[in-house]
Amino acid sequence: MGKENSKVEPSLILPFAPIEDEPMSSLTVEKTKVTSTDTSPPIPSLVSEEKTKEVGLQPTGDTRGVEERNLTRHHPGHFRDDPVGFMMQMGAFYQGTGWRSYKNYIGTRILYEGYTEEVKERVLNSERVLYMIAYLAEKQANLLAQTIPNATPKMIARRKKLLEKELQAVANGMVDKLAADLNSLKFIRLFGFFVNNILVRMYHQGVHISEREFLELRRIAIHAAQNSQSLIILPCHKSHIDYLVISYMFFRLGLALPHIAAGNNLDLPIVGRILKRGGAFYIRRSWGEDQLYGSVVKEYIEGLLERGHNVECFIEGTRSRTGKLLPPKLGILKIVLECILSGRAKDCWIVPMSIQYDKVIETETYVNELLGNPKERESLWGIVTNTRLLQLKWGRIDVRFAKPYSLQGFIDEQIGRRKSFDPNNEQQKITLLRALGYRVLSDINSVSVVMPTALVGTVILTLRGRGVGRNELIRRLEWLRTAILAKGGRVADFGDMTIGEIVDRAINVLKDLIKERKELLEPVFYAEKRFELSFYRNQVMHLFVSEAIVSAAMYTKIKQGGAKSTQRLHISTLLDEVTFLSQLLKVEFVYQPGEIKTNLENTIKGLIDDQVMELEGEYVLLSDKERAIGRENYDFYCFLIWPFIETYWLAVVSLFSMTPTNSPQPTTTIVNKTTTKKPVPIIWFNEQDFHNKCQIFGKTLYYQGDLSYFEAINKETLKNAFIRLEEVGLIMVKRSRNAKIMTTIALSPDYIPTRNSDGAIEPRGKLWDLVERIGKFRREGKNRRDNATVSSRVLRLAEIVGAPSTADVVVMTNLMSRPVKAGKPEAKL
């Protein structure tokens, strides 16, 4: 981690520039790695053969010593295919035969009549909620007394009592909507059959787990149950199906069903009630200053932890539309952490979890959203009742569990790394919370299985040319598979299937995204829907992000061509370029722990061992072998990261559209030896409207050839880019807790471009310097080297983008008095 491990996020001194005293450099993960010895309980880790048979585990193969199990093997999904087997399966669920009885599950008791009412009563009668009701009632009664002349104490007391009753009724309604309805074992068995049938029909090749990981989870679950401690299930989130997969697995494997934190947008007719009876509890996306609601939610979750109930929440907060992990959302984790810090619950167990699909059923919808189209109204109910979807065969699901660990042990380890820790210090708690969030993301990445569809999609999108022959596709897929395993990654096991058979299988699953031309000398595959296919490519990105950043940094020289000696980069220059790129993209990726210089050295060593690069003294350059094979491995790394670089370049270029049109430029005058600055005009844009314009701008640049990747205009990555630009002070943002007041953004006065005598924006100044700095790493394309042509065309389009619409707010403000957040004070270019 470096010499000072107490910080989670580095303080920025210069945006996208080398940082000398940064304890966590730009190639480091924004988390603090736990290196303490294993604190898991000394419980026998083996499960008896009888118990293994009871939960119905069936062997399917072995990968690197890890035996897998298909949880849905031999489960008939269609009545017409196997009428007898289907009816026997339904009867087994109804009668509760074997593991389907779900009577001896591991964990705190649920699923009995009156369970939910007990939980509600405890929340409503808790000291926290009663205090908040009394506090709010007294506050409102006193405010009323100030507006009524001659109000007597009796009137105020009567009013307060009435308000308390009203607030109690409000709290009752909140708890009714919030609490999971886990009262009926019969319903759970019926729900289990329903989910089993859906999964078997949609993912016909099964739900696969690692036996070793399950046995470890079960070992921890036994210890947690003995001590009334909760398992905190923290999965990645790729699909609505995730809810069903996790609940089904816990039912199937005999673990207490988790209480699932879900957004209240899922509390829909029919499906909302079903999910609630399966363990879901619904929370508002935000509750702002609603103190009563916050108290009810905290009391409910802390009560679950106090009694050792399992809790599930998605660490990313929402489904990832891009395929890679999103930054952690820490709302629920904050409540969990504070519960342990306060001592109300002695401990709980963090269980990071990865769910990977051969094909995610919502990717087409994701692409529409990322392109800025109105979000389609969709729900889990719509998916599971869509007969067309249920008839399709989507391959398999692979689920993996990272090794669970004690949250109290994590806290103790983190506190031990710091000179002092005050549990009442909000900033220190946030630091601890962020460390936990990024630790979870790293753990999920470490156990994620790369599916064949991700392998094929990645290969097709990282090769030059329009398409690839089958033999070449097989060769490159084998190389990629070997590279992933060498990096410590995991690839789905398919037993005795050959690479060719795996490729054919993946192509069949992705047949609407990858097309085949058969009338040629050999079959040629090509990407029909590159944007949607990039979802699968991004699932591999985390394994090669360091190599990709180094390769993109080297591209500044390699793209110049010429002799080998002219395509090399001094190690110190390479360090500067890597620091810039990794700082630029820090919102996108979870980096490896360690200081940047050490990480760079390790990455270069790995590339040298793989014969991609070599060293000549203090210079780094492509190896002779890599040059001889046409840079195919080096290009692979560049193709992985180029779309992200393109997005950030687009975001910075779009800022030129914020340039004031008919306003004075910032100038300095000296009067009587006193320096003064003229007011700087600033145009404020509606944030959502500006983002939409930026996407249209990007589409135009793509079709004109100034952007190489259509996926570079995707809304989520652009949003991350603007977050990063705000952090370093390039843009200013005005936000309000009131949802009715729109968020507005503007270009920082320090970066406002100048105009020439004709009124046109000039390609110069701080902002243009940043555009060119990022542009050095982009893939060469149409007129890319002709800066004059590119600048005039791009800036002309930026003027069109910047034309204020009725949604924009135009405000003239003084440089010395702007009531906005403009990044960190030290974050200046």
Side-chain angles (χ1 to χ4, degrees):
M1 288 290 299
K3 56 186 177 182
E4 296 177 18
N5 292 309
S6 61
K7 296 184 180 180
V8 176
E9 181 180 8
S11 59
L12 296 179
I13 299 173
L14 297 172
F16 321 142
I19 298 175
E20 297 178 359
D21 299 321
E22 184 175 316
M24 294 193 65
S25 55
S26 49
L27 267 184
T28 67
V29 60
E30 296 186 12
K31 68 180 183 66
T32 307
K33 186 178 181 182
V34 176
T35 57
S36 60
T37 57
D38 184 12
T39 59
S40 57
I43 297 173
S45 59
L46 297 179
V47 177
S48 67
E49 183 178 350
E50 290 74 21
K51 184 63 181 178
T52 299
K53 291 180 180 178
E54 179 184 338
V55 298
L57 298 177
Q58 299 292 337
T60 62
D62 184 82
T63 299
R64 302 168 65 205
V66 179
E67 192 172 14
E68 291 185 1
R69 296 291 183 267
N70 180 359
L71 298 183
T72 59
R73 190 181 184 191
H74 302 314
H75 289 202
H78 297 270
F79 175 81
R80 63 178 177 270
D81 293 340
D82 184 1
V84 175
F86 185 86
M87 294 303 296
M88 290 180 63
Q89 179 82 355
M90 185 170 63
F93 273 98
Y94 178 78
Q95 297 173 8
T97 302
W99 56 267
R100 300 169 188 83
S101 69
Y102 201 63
K103 290 182 178 179
N104 298 317
Y105 53 85
I106 300 168
T108 303
R109 295 296 94 181
I110 51 176
L111 300 173
Y112 57 85
E113 193 65 32
Y115 165 77
T116 302
E117 291 305 316
E118 288 180 12
V119 173
K120 291 179 181 178
E121 185 177 350
R122 277 194 288 261
V123 172
L124 292 171
N125 293 326
S126 67
E127 183 178 344
R128 170 186 275 139
V129 173
L130 292 177
Y131 168 80
M132 185 56 65
I133 289 173
Y135 167 76
L136 293 175
E138 183 175 3
K139 182 179 179 180
Q140 293 180 35
N142 290 336
L143 288 174
L144 184 64
Q146 295 174 12
T147 62
I148 301 177
N150 304 319
T152 64
K154 187 175 181 179
M155 291 174 57
I156 296 173
R158 188 164 56 249
R159 180 59 179 169
K160 179 183 176 183
K161 188 174 182 180
L162 181 61
L163 286 168
E164 285 181 347
K165 288 184 178 180
E166 292 176 353
L167 289 170
Q168 185 70 49
V170 172
N172 284 338
M174 290 176 175
V175 175
D176 283 339
K177 279 188 167 293
L178 178 68
D181 187 7
L182 287 167
N183 290 310
S184 174
L185 178 57
K186 288 183 178 179
F187 173 83
I188 291 299
R189 289 176 183 164
L190 176 64
F191 187 56
F193 170 73
F194 176 70
V195 174
N196 180 84
N197 194 42
I198 289 173
L199 295 179
V200 169
R201 293 179 69 180
M202 295 181 69
Y203 292 94
H204 65 295
Q205 293 182 334
V207 179
H208 296 252
I209 67 169
S210 160
E211 180 186 15
R212 175 179 54 81
E213 292 172 358
F214 162 64
L215 295 181
E216 178 66 11
L217 174 62
R218 186 175 185 276
R219 180 173 74 92
I220 295 297
I222 293 172
H223 173 78
Q226 291 171 345
N227 293 276
S228 296
Q229 295 170 356
S230 304
L231 301 179
I232 309 299
I233 314 301
L234 298 170
C236 58
H237 199 7
K238 287 186 168 59
S239 170
H240 277 312
I241 299 297
D242 296 340
Y243 304 104
L244 303 182
V245 172
I246 298 169
S247 294
Y248 173 79
M249 285 187 56
F250 272 63
F251 174 77
R252 179 67 191 275
L253 299 174
L255 304 178
L257 291 177
H259 294 67
I260 309 165
N264 60 353
N265 60 305
L266 287 175
D267 191 8
L268 302 171
I270 304 178
V271 67
R273 180 63 177 163
I274 292 173
L275 291 179
K276 200 169 187 180
R277 296 188 71 183
F281 63 94
Y282 299 112
I283 299 180
R284 299 176 192 168
R285 290 294 181 180
S286 62
W287 54 80
E289 297 179 356
D290 190 337
Q291 294 175 292
L292 180 58
Y293 186 78
S295 296
V296 168
V297 171
K298 290 177 182 177
E299 182 60 34
Y300 177 71
I301 295 175
E302 289 189 6
L304 294 178
L305 297 176
E306 184 180 27
R307 291 182 293 280
H309 292 296
N310 298 335
V311 176
E312 171 194 328
C313 68
F314 293 97
I315 186 67
E316 300 164 278
T318 187
R319 289 170 296 160
S320 171
R321 270 73 171 172
T322 62
K324 66 182 184 63
L325 289 180
L326 303 176
K329 297 294 189 298
L330 303 173
I332 302 297
L333 270 188
K334 185 174 187 290
I335 297 174
V336 173
L337 183 67
E338 289 177 341
C339 182
I340 302 301
L341 287 173
S342 69
R344 180 170 180 178
K346 292 183 179 180
D347 202 359
C348 60
W349 293 82
I350 302 298
V351 186
M353 178 179 176
S354 167
I355 309 175
Q356 300 295 333
Y357 302 86
D358 260 326
K359 189 169 186 182
V360 172
I361 58 182
E362 300 105 317
T363 51
E364 185 176 353
T365 301
Y366 292 167
V367 169
N368 287 330
E369 290 182 31
L370 294 175
L371 286 174
N373 298 325
K375 184 177 181 180
E376 297 180 17
R377 187 172 181 81
E378 55 162 358
S379 68
L380 178 60
W381 179 253
I383 291 171
V384 300
T385 57
N386 188 324
T387 56
R388 182 185 66 84
L389 290 179
L390 292 178
Q391 299 306 318
L392 298 175
K393 295 183 177 180
W394 301 87
R396 64 186 257 183
I397 303 172
D398 277 64
V399 180
R400 295 293 183 269
F401 297 97
K403 185 175 181 178
Y405 52 90
S406 157
L407 179 54
Q408 185 61 62
F410 175 86
I411 293 171
D412 292 341
E413 179 67 28
Q414 296 300 303
I415 293 176
R417 293 173 176 272
R418 294 162 172 80
K419 295 180 180 179
S420 62
F421 179 79
D422 180 3
N424 297 316
N425 185 306
E426 194 64 27
Q427 188 56 49
Q428 291 187 14
K429 281 198 295 187
I430 291 174
T431 298
L432 188 61
L433 186 62
R434 285 178 59 83
L436 176 61
Y438 279 98
R439 164 78 188 271
V440 171
L441 291 184
S442 182
D443 288 340
I444 292 173
N445 273 337
S446 70
V447 296
S448 293
V449 173
V450 179
M451 308 300 286
T453 49
L455 293 173
V456 170
T458 300
V459 169
I460 287 181
L461 292 183
T462 53
L463 288 174
R464 295 186 182 273
R466 295 185 179 89
V468 58
R470 184 174 183 275
N471 291 334
E472 177 70 2
L473 179 58
I474 291 172
R475 184 181 70 84
R476 289 303 296 171
L477 189 141
E478 177 61 29
W479 174 87
L480 178 57
R481 177 180 178 275
T482 302
I484 290 172
L485 296 177
K487 294 280 291 182
R490 302 181 178 191
V491 178
D493 171 47
F494 281 83
D496 297 328
M497 290 179 66
T498 65
I499 297 296
E501 291 171 333
I502 292 174
V503 166
D504 293 339
R505 175 192 171 282
I507 292 290
N508 183 60
V509 173
L510 297 176
K511 58 188 175 184
D512 54 333
L513 308 184
I514 298 173
K515 298 299 182 182
E516 177 185 6
R517 292 198 178 278
K518 298 181 179 180
E519 73 277 11
L520 308 176
L521 296 178
E522 68 169 336
V524 173
F525 299 97
Y526 63 95
E528 173 77 2
K529 299 179 180 179
R530 292 185 60 92
F531 202 140
E532 192 171 342
L533 198 58
S534 69
F535 179 92
Y536 300 93
R537 177 202 61 203
N538 289 344
Q539 295 177 29
V540 178
M541 186 72 213
H542 67 280
L543 291 163
F544 302 105
V545 64
S546 295
E547 289 82 0
I549 288 176
V550 171
S551 296
M554 286 293 299
Y555 188 66
T556 58
K557 278 290 184 181
I558 292 173
K559 69 179 178 181
Q560 296 175 4
K564 179 180 177 180
S565 59
T566 65
Q567 297 184 39
R568 62 181 191 171
L569 207 60
H570 193 277
I571 190 69
S572 61
T573 305
L574 180 59
L575 177 60
D576 290 343
E577 304 286 32
V578 165
T579 302
F580 171 83
L581 267 181
S582 52
Q583 281 288 320
L584 176 71
L585 301 171
K586 62 179 290 188
V587 180
E588 295 296 330
F589 305 116
V590 179
Y591 298 127
Q592 291 296 316
E595 293 189 351
I596 186 168
K597 187 174 181 181
T598 302
N599 281 340
L600 176 59
E601 291 172 353
N602 292 336
T603 302
I604 292 174
K605 183 180 183 301
L607 290 169
I608 291 173
D609 291 342
D610 293 338
Q611 300 185 53
V612 176
M613 293 184 185
E614 62 185 46
L615 278 175
E616 284 186 355
E618 295 185 341
Y619 288 87
V620 182
L621 65 163
L622 286 182
S623 69
D624 291 333
K625 180 180 178 181
E626 186 65 19
R627 292 165 68 89
I629 61 175
R631 298 183 353 197
E632 62 178 11
N633 297 333
Y634 168 79
D635 283 350
F636 166 81
Y637 299 125
C638 289
F639 275 108
L640 282 179
I641 204 165
W642 271 336
F644 295 95
I645 295 174
E646 289 264 76
T647 302
Y648 280 71
W649 179 86
L650 171 62
V652 176
V653 167
S654 70
L655 299 185
F656 279 90
S657 64
M658 294 182 173
T659 307
T661 53
N662 300 312
S663 56
Q665 292 302 311
T667 57
T668 301
T669 59
I670 300 177
V671 180
N672 297 327
K673 298 183 179 181
T674 301
T675 302
T676 60
K677 289 186 176 181
K678 289 184 179 181
V680 177
I682 298 174
I683 300 180
W684 289 91
F685 291 84
N686 173 288
E687 183 181 48
Q688 185 59 52
D689 186 59
F690 180 78
H691 287 183
N692 293 338
K693 289 180 177 180
C694 181
Q695 284 198 288
I696 296 174
F697 182 34
K699 291 178 184 178
T700 306
L701 294 179
Y702 172 78
Y703 286 113
Q704 290 189 356
D706 293 306
L707 278 180
S708 298
Y709 299 94
F710 194 54
E711 61 263 37
I713 67 170
N714 91 71
K715 184 172 65 176
E716 289 300 319
T717 310
L718 274 171
K719 181 181 177 181
N720 287 342
F722 286 119
I723 289 172
R724 190 72 186 109
L725 295 176
E726 179 189 354
E727 288 178 350
V728 298
L730 267 74
I731 59 176
M732 305 178 295
V733 182
K734 285 183 178 180
R735 294 186 176 90
S736 172
R737 290 188 176 182
N738 188 342
K740 296 181 180 180
I741 300 177
M742 63 184 177
T743 300
T744 55
I745 61 175
L747 183 61
S748 171
D750 295 335
Y751 294 90
I752 292 178
T754 59
R755 293 181 179 273
N756 61 24
S757 58
D758 296 327
I761 300 173
E762 295 184 306
R764 64 177 64 184
K766 286 184 176 181
L767 190 58
W768 185 255
D769 290 344
L770 182 56
V771 168
E772 291 201 313
R773 181 81 193 272
I774 298 173
K776 292 195 310 179
F777 307 103
R778 296 171 65 213
R779 181 184 178 186
E780 286 292 317
K782 171 188 172 184
N783 296 326
R784 190 62 49 76
R785 298 181 185 178
D786 184 356
N787 288 333
T789 303
V790 172
S791 63
S792 61
R793 182 170 58 250
V794 169
L795 295 184
R796 178 182 61 80
L797 292 172
E799 288 273 26
I800 299 175
V801 174
S805 69
T806 55
D808 296 324
V809 180
V810 182
V811 179
M812 303 297 287
T813 185
N814 190 283
L815 174 66
M816 304 305 294
S817 59
R818 52 180 190 268
V820 294
K821 179 183 177 182
K824 300 181 180 180
E826 68 273 20
K828 298 178 181 178
L829 279 172

